[in-house]
Amino acid sequence: MPYRPAGAPVVAVLMLVAVACSDPNAIPAQGSPQHAIHIHLYQKPKRFSPLDPPSGPDQQVMTLIFDNLLTVDDTYAYVPRLAERWEVAADRITFHLRPGLRWSDGTPFGSGDVLFTYRLLADPRSGSAMAGKLAGAAFEAPDDTTFVIRPARPNVGFLSLLAGPFAFILPEHVLGQVPVHEIAGHAFFSAPTVGMGPYVFVRHKTDQYVELAANPHYRKPVAIPRIFLRPVGSDAATAQLGTGEMDLVQISPTDLPVVEQFEGVTVSARPSPGFLRIAVDLSDRRFADPRVRRAMLHAIDREALVAKLLAGRGRVQNSSFVTPWALAGTLEEYAHDPARARALLAEAGWRAGEKVTLSWIPGQRDRDTTATVVQGALSAAGMVVELRQVQAAELLESYQKRTFDLALFGGGGYAVDPSASAMILGCTDFYPVGGNISNFCDTSLDALTTRADALTGHDRRAELYREAARKDNAQVPYLWLYNPDTLWATSARLRGFRGGGDFTAGFWNADEWTLAG
């Protein structure tokens, strides 16, 4: 099968502008060349390793300094990157690499680098979060411009697991001699100065900015010499967009009426391929009964969240599956019903006043408010909810150590193929090997998705995935909240930006960006 290519008051924002202008962490003038752009990061990045579990701000930076075989564009279509074309057969995927490429330090690039990377990604000893996805796969590099993957089982959706802001290719000439059990902690991932992306890492000033410079060895000329990525909250980012200090911002829907008044600012919107959810620690016996999870969904007025926090720019989510053709039309909607929530908790034997903790990374207005709304809703149903703000590293550590109760987070690239959603539900995909953060396991659901992925006929595959979605919907492995529209705002200086709904891959065409004037 060949490849075929409701508004915040203006006065509030004006007050924010004053705060932003006096920001002590502002980039010094000498660090801001005239021909640079400034991009909003919605959270603070940690480090830049394709082996690490996916983290939005880390992925956003990595899409600029690394590259992968293919990615997904703003319409969720596959786009060639290091591979110029590929063929998908029943038992293999064959990638044909672009010839004559070089790493940012001038070293020739070839299929050996891809083979080295995929062996690392598939090896759990490397700490790879993709090891579960790639388990049992075989990799070959028959010549310098050909790379072959043989999945462990037939899987027509396998390509979707590789396309996006992950599986970035690493330089064998830099990391090839590092023992596999030591590579996860290597210093390279804090300062990855060699890559294949359009930009080269310059420095990371913690809590302030990541500075990148155009890659002189990129496969085509890069028009914008320098990029600064700045982790600030939504309010400050919107304010700095208005003052001209920021060129690209992912804005909050409630800021849209104000942003649309900014001179020269363009706003674009795309449906997200992911969703906001709450992971529930199913290794904790208190949450093992599905009635407890159903009760929590009934307790939360999710329609009100979409209407008020997203200004209607989104949809309530009722499954871990997003691909439209994989969703059954008869899913339980878990309408807001506090009485039903209390009854289900009583049936499940929940002890009145039992305390639970809800963790999340602060800084995005809708998520910050959602955490407070969820706290009130669950408390009204009979739970005592304690809010806990954490940074990304702390949240990821809590997943691994199973020290969280409830964890609010969002994202995901699930629109291209439903097999991507299966990776957050599988019994062999528990975090950190895979993306199953709740530690949910239903072997009958796994059997359905495995059977579906072995088929090439679309109709039967869709039928099996719809059955899997019904099982998922009934058991509530996550508290699905909403699927938001992703809103991007760009200054008049930045041309050529094509942001998609997947904000982690929003910089996918940075090599096409230019500066006005």
Side-chain angles (χ1 to χ4, degrees):
M1 187 166 61
Y3 156 75
R4 56 177 181 84
V10 174
V11 65
V13 173
L14 292 177
M15 291 173 65
L16 290 168
V17 169
V19 172
C21 290
S22 60
D23 182 1
N25 290 331
I27 298 172
Q30 65 268 24
S32 302
Q34 181 181 357
H35 300 296
I37 60 170
H38 302 266
I39 297 177
H40 168 223
L41 287 180
Y42 72 101
Q43 290 171 358
K44 299 173 184 177
K46 308 181 306 304
R47 62 183 208 141
F48 314 105
S49 172
L51 300 172
D52 286 353
S55 175
D58 300 356
Q59 291 170 279
Q60 287 181 310
V61 176
M62 285 192 286
T63 60
L64 296 171
I65 58 178
F66 293 130
D67 213 341
N68 43 12
L69 294 173
L70 74 163
T71 192
V72 177
D73 68 10
D74 54 326
T75 68
Y76 304 125
Y78 293 132
V79 177
R81 299 297 295 181
L82 298 175
E84 59 183 358
R85 58 189 175 88
W86 51 85
E87 293 98 38
V88 180
D91 64 341
R92 76 191 70 183
I93 305 173
T94 303
F95 294 94
H96 302 278
L97 308 181
R98 300 177 189 268
L101 298 182
R102 291 185 176 273
W103 289 93
S104 58
D105 63 357
T107 302
F109 165 85
S111 61
D113 294 296
V114 184
L115 182 64
F116 165 73
T117 299
Y118 270 80
R119 284 175 172 171
L120 277 180
L121 292 173
D123 191 338
R125 296 176 302 162
S126 72
S128 169
M130 290 191 67
K133 290 183 181 182
L134 300 174
F139 312 107
E140 304 167 12
D143 59 57
D144 203 43
T145 59
T146 306
F147 177 66
V148 179
I149 298 178
R150 298 179 185 271
R153 59 179 175 82
N155 184 353
V156 298
F158 196 85
L159 198 64
S160 70
L161 305 181
L162 313 179
F166 34 75
F168 296 107
I169 306 305
L170 294 169
E172 184 179 21
H173 68 283
V174 175
L175 297 170
Q177 299 304 311
V178 180
V180 66
H181 63 280
E182 296 179 5
I183 199 163
H186 198 277
F188 175 83
F189 299 118
S190 295
T193 52
V194 178
M196 290 296 294
Y199 286 87
V200 178
F201 178 90
V202 177
R203 58 177 169 165
H204 177 199
K205 295 283 286 184
T206 303
D207 298 341
Q208 297 183 39
Y209 60 88
V210 178
E211 180 181 357
L212 310 179
N215 177 358
H217 294 285
Y218 191 63
R219 58 181 175 266
K220 62 181 181 180
V222 177
I224 300 177
R226 227 162 188 81
I227 290 180
F228 292 90
L229 302 110
R230 302 170 60 184
V232 298
S234 298
D235 293 341
T238 298
Q240 291 169 13
L241 180 70
T243 60
E245 298 172 79
M246 202 77 80
D247 296 294
L248 175 57
V249 175
Q250 184 190 338
I251 64 170
S252 170
T254 53
D255 283 341
L256 185 57
V258 171
V259 170
E260 289 177 332
Q261 298 178 40
F262 291 162
E263 184 176 355
V265 170
T266 300
V267 177
S268 60
R270 293 287 189 279
S272 172
F275 52 93
L276 194 77
R277 76 210 83 165
I278 297 174
V280 182
D281 181 12
L282 297 186
S283 65
D284 185 331
R285 287 184 295 176
R286 295 178 300 167
F287 305 114
D289 192 323
R291 290 175 294 185
V292 173
R293 284 120 53 194
R294 294 174 193 145
M296 289 191 279
L297 272 188
H298 278 300
I300 303 167
D301 190 346
R302 297 176 296 153
E303 293 283 0
L305 288 176
V306 171
K308 296 177 182 178
L309 297 187
L310 302 184
R313 303 300 295 262
R315 296 141 295 279
V316 169
Q317 185 81 13
N318 284 307
S319 172
S320 304
F321 295 93
V322 174
T323 315
W325 56 261
L327 289 170
T330 56
L331 298 180
E332 170 64 50
E333 296 183 355
Y334 296 103
H336 182 225
D337 189 341
R340 179 62 177 152
R342 289 190 290 270
L344 283 169
L345 285 176
E347 290 174 18
W350 187 268
R351 294 185 299 173
E354 182 79 28
K355 186 175 78 171
V356 299
T357 300
L358 174 60
S359 304
W360 88 105
I361 302 169
Q364 289 176 276
R365 185 185 301 165
D366 66 305
R367 298 189 188 188
D368 294 345
T369 305
T370 293
T372 302
V373 170
V374 169
Q375 179 189 39
L378 296 185
S379 296
M383 295 180 172
V384 176
V385 179
E386 178 182 287
L387 297 183
R388 183 183 179 207
Q389 296 186 5
V390 297
Q391 294 305 310
E394 187 178 0
L395 187 62
L396 296 177
E397 182 181 27
S398 74
Y399 295 162
Q400 186 162 357
K401 294 184 176 180
R402 313 310 297 174
T403 54
F404 74 95
D405 294 332
L406 308 175
L408 174 70
F409 69 104
Y414 311 128
V416 178
D417 191 274
S419 58
S421 291
M423 302 305 296
I424 66 173
L425 300 170
C427 296
T428 60
D429 297 310
F430 286 2
Y431 186 93
V433 172
N436 187 343
I437 294 169
S438 285
N439 276 15
F440 169 78
C441 179
D442 179 349
T443 55
S444 67
L445 193 155
D446 285 2
L448 286 170
T449 60
T450 298
R451 286 169 56 199
D453 288 341
L455 299 174
T456 56
H458 175 79
D459 290 348
R460 178 55 178 155
R461 190 164 182 254
E463 182 182 336
L464 291 171
Y465 261 112
R466 288 168 189 157
E467 187 177 346
R470 282 190 287 268
K471 283 181 173 287
D472 168 61
N473 169 259
Q475 296 185 72
V476 191
Y478 298 88
L479 306 184
W480 315 288
L481 297 179
Y482 50 76
N483 170 270
D485 288 345
T486 299
L487 304 178
W488 298 99
T490 56
S491 74
R493 300 176 66 241
L494 178 59
R495 303 286 178 84
F497 173 77
R498 290 170 54 194
D502 184 355
F503 59 88
T504 60
F507 312 149
W508 69 274
N509 75 324
D511 57 0
E512 300 175 356
W513 298 352
T514 61
L515 279 172

